[in-house]
Amino acid sequence: MKDFKGDLEVELHDNLSEVSWSEAEERAVRRKLDWHLVPPLTLMYLLCFIDRTNIGNAKIQGMSKDLDLSGLNYNYALTVFYIVYILVEIPSNMALKRLGANIWLPVLTVAFGGVCVGTAFVKTFTQLVVVRILLGITEGGMFPGTSFYLSCFYRREELLLRVGIFASSASMAGAFGGLLATGLTKIHSWGVPGSKLYMWRNIFFFEGLFTIFIGLMVPLMLPKSVESCKFFTDRERMIAITRLAKENDADDSHKVTKADIKAAIFNINIQFCAFGFLCANVAVQSLSLFMPTILNQMGYTPISAQLHSVPPYFLACCLAIFVAFLSDRTRQRGIFLVIFAAIAAIGYAVIMSTNNPKTKYAAIFIIAMGGFPNGPGFLSWGINSNAGSRAVASAYIMSVGTVGAVISTWTYMEKDKPGYKKGHAINLGFQIAVIALAGSCVLYCQWENKQRAAGRRDGRLVGLSDAEKRKLGYRHPDFRYIP
C-alpha cells in the first residue's frame, strides 16, 4: 500500500480484519470504478481492434489493387501480425508491471495509432508487411494488459462482466469500422504530390490519428492503483483497498513459480478452455478480417458492404455483454458456450447451402451473434477453474487462443471466391469442436465435483501443513469447479 499516504494507510495495515462495510457502500465503490475505468479501457481496446481489422475495410476500397494483394499476399500480411502478437504478450506485460498500466496501456495506444497512420503511406506489399509487424508489436500487450489492470481493482466474481464489456468492443469495432470506412473513403484525394491520401489511405490515416489523440488523453483518466483513485472519498478508498486485500489474503506478493506454470498446464479444465478459446477465436478473427470481402463477393458494392457489416456486429456486441452478465448471475459457463457455438454452426451451415444473397446475409447475423460471446466465456471459465495464479492461467489461455487467430488468416482464400465454401466449412468444423470441448468440460466439472463431495479427493490433504494445503489450489478437495 505504498501509494496511499496518511493515517488511513496505517489503520488499514494494522486493523485489516476489523474493517467492515455495508453492501450499499461496496456497490457505490464498484459503481465509481465502473464509471472511471471501464469506459476508457473499452475505448482503447475498441480502437486497438479497429486499427487491427481496418485492413479488411481497406482491401475492398482499392488497397488490394494498389499494393498487389492478389494470391496469398493478403493472407501473409494478416499472418505476420498475429505471429508477432503472440511473441510480445509476455514482454509487454513485464513492461506494464514496471511502468504501471495507467502509463503503459496509453503508450501502446499512441504507438499502434502511429503505426496505423503510417500504413496510410505504404507503397508496396513489403512495406505493408513491415507495418503489420510493427502493429503486432504494439498491440500484443493490450488484451492481457487490460485484463490484468482490471483484476487489480475488482474482486474475482466481479471481473467477468467487466472483461466481457471491454472484450465485446471487438464486435463493436466491426460496426464502427464499417461506418467509419464508409465516410472516410468519400473524402476527396488530398495531400502533397507523391503522398496523396484517398479512399483506403484515408481509413488508416484518420482512424490512426484519432487513436493517438485518445492515447494522449487517457493517462489523465486512469489511476495507477486503488490507493491513488482520486474519485474516492477516504471511506470509499478504505473499502476498495480492504475488500481486495481480504480476498487476496497473503498472496498479493506471490511470485509466479514453475509450480504455478505446471499447475496451469496440467489442469484439464484450463486445457479445455485454452483449446476452446482457440477454436472460438478462429470464427471471431476470420469474421473481423474478411466480412467486408465476403459481403463484397456476395454482390454488394464496396460502400454497401461496409454499411451492411454494421448491424451484425452491433447485435453481436449487445448479445456478448448480455451473455457475460447472465453467466455471472447464474454462475454457469459451459452451457452458454455450447448454445452459442451451436447457433454459429447453424449460421455457417446456412451460408454454405445457399446462393441467395439475402439468406447469406441473414446467416452472417447468426454467425456473429453465435461466435462473439464465446471468447470471453472460455477465458473467464479458465480463470475460475484455477485457484492458484490467475495470471498464469489467463496468459496460457490467451497464448493458445491466439493461435486460432493465426489459423483464421488462412480460412478465406482468394481462389475460393465468391462463395468461400471452404472457409465456411473450416469455421463450421471449429464451432463443432467448441461444442465438443465445452460440453466435455461441463461433464468433467460435474463429475469431479461429485467425486470431491463424496470425499474421494480427501487423501490429498494427508500429511500436509496448512500452508501446503493452501498451495493445492484447484486440487484442494474443497475447491469446486463452475460447470
Side-chain angles (χ1 to χ4, degrees), residues 229-371:
C229 291
K230 296 180 180 179
F231 48 82
F232 282 147
T233 64
D234 284 349
R235 170 71 178 173
E236 289 170 338
R237 186 179 292 108
M238 177 190 67
I239 295 171
I241 297 170
T242 311
R243 73 194 195 109
L244 293 178
K246 282 186 173 182
E247 181 181 69
N248 295 333
D249 216 3
D251 293 326
D252 284 344
S253 59
H254 173 71
K255 294 182 179 180
V256 175
T257 64
K258 290 182 179 179
D260 293 321
I261 298 173
K262 182 179 178 180
I265 293 176
F266 288 97
N267 183 341
I268 188 171
N269 292 69
I270 290 181
Q271 294 296 338
F272 275 127
C273 292
F275 286 94
F277 190 24
L278 183 157
C279 295
N281 211 21
V282 175
V284 170
Q285 299 294 338
S286 63
L287 201 62
S288 301
L289 295 168
F290 292 98
M291 187 190 289
T293 300
I294 293 170
L295 291 169
N296 187 221
Q297 291 300 318
M298 284 165 51
Y300 294 101
T301 65
I303 293 296
S304 182
Q306 309 286 15
L307 290 173
H308 277 79
S309 70
V310 174
Y313 282 126
F314 178 77
L315 288 180
C317 176
C318 295
L319 190 59
I321 294 174
F322 176 71
V323 171
F325 169 79
L326 204 59
S327 181
D328 261 2
R329 181 61 61 91
T330 60
R331 289 184 61 80
Q332 297 288 322
R333 300 287 187 261
I335 185 63
F336 292 105
L337 296 171
V338 170
I339 290 172
F340 284 95
I343 291 173
I346 292 171
Y348 282 114
V350 170
I351 201 170
M352 288 173 58
S353 63
T354 182
N355 291 319
N356 186 300
K358 291 184 178 179
T359 306
K360 282 179 174 287
Y361 186 54
I364 288 177
F365 272 87
I366 298 172
I367 292 167
M369 290 188 293

Side-chain angles (χ1 to χ4, degrees), residues 15-261:
N15 303 297
L16 184 62
S17 62
E18 300 176 8
V19 179
S20 62
W21 55 84
S22 68
E23 174 56 33
E25 286 180 306
E26 185 170 11
R27 190 162 52 246
V29 167
R30 204 161 45 234
R31 191 179 300 118
K32 282 193 174 183
L33 288 172
D34 287 343
W35 277 110
H36 287 85
L37 297 184
V38 177
L41 292 173
T42 301
L43 178 58
M44 282 195 296
Y45 193 67
L46 170 71
L47 295 173
C48 175
F49 216 83
I50 287 177
D51 291 354
R52 177 188 316 176
T53 59
N54 56 11
I55 189 173
N57 303 105
K59 179 176 182 284
I60 64 172
Q61 294 289 353
M63 184 183 195
S64 183
K65 180 180 179 181
D66 289 354
L67 302 184
D68 186 26
L69 299 184
S70 58
L72 300 178
N73 283 354
Y74 181 65
N75 304 84
Y76 283 128
L78 299 180
T79 302
V80 294
F81 166 84
Y82 285 109
I83 292 175
V84 176
Y85 185 99
I86 295 172
L87 296 176
V88 303
E89 284 181 331
I90 294 176
S92 181
N93 262 24
M94 291 171 64
L96 178 145
K97 290 185 178 181
R98 189 176 186 86
L99 298 177
N102 63 316
I103 300 298
W104 184 242
L105 294 178
V107 165
L108 291 179
T109 303
V110 172
F112 63 70
V115 174
C116 188
V117 170
T119 308
F121 297 95
V122 299
K123 304 292 185 181
T124 66
F125 168 69
T126 302
Q127 292 174 356
L128 177 64
V129 170
V130 171
V131 295
R132 294 297 292 183
I133 291 173
L134 293 175
L135 192 66
I137 292 173
T138 53
E139 287 200 1
M142 282 300 293
F143 191 93
T146 305
S147 299
F148 173 78
Y149 184 57
L150 285 172
S151 72
C152 297
F153 293 86
Y154 290 98
R155 297 173 65 181
R156 296 182 184 184
E157 66 268 21
E158 301 165 351
L159 192 58
L160 171 58
L161 178 59
R162 280 77 190 178
V163 171
I165 290 173
F166 100 78
S168 69
S169 60
S171 51
M172 186 58 73
F176 278 111
L179 286 174
L180 289 170
T182 301
L184 294 174
T185 53
K186 292 183 178 181
I187 298 176
H188 294 298
S189 177
W190 65 283
V192 299
S195 296
K196 291 283 187 180
L197 298 181
Y198 54 86
M199 297 288 283
W200 65 270
R201 297 184 185 275
N202 284 327
I203 295 176
F204 289 108
F205 182 82
F206 287 106
E207 289 179 358
L209 203 62
F210 182 70
T211 299
I212 292 173
F213 172 77
I214 294 299
L216 293 173
M217 293 297 103
V218 166
L220 303 176
M221 310 175 198
L222 296 180
K224 182 178 181 180
S225 62
V226 174
E227 293 89 345
S228 63
C229 291
K230 296 180 180 179
F231 48 82
F232 282 147
T233 64
D234 284 349
R235 170 71 178 173
E236 289 170 338
R237 186 179 292 108
M238 177 190 67
I239 295 171
I241 297 170
T242 311
R243 73 194 195 109
L244 293 178
K246 282 186 173 182
E247 181 181 69
N248 295 333
D249 216 3
D251 293 326
D252 284 344
S253 59
H254 173 71
K255 294 182 179 180
V256 175
T257 64
K258 290 182 179 179
D260 293 321
I261 298 173

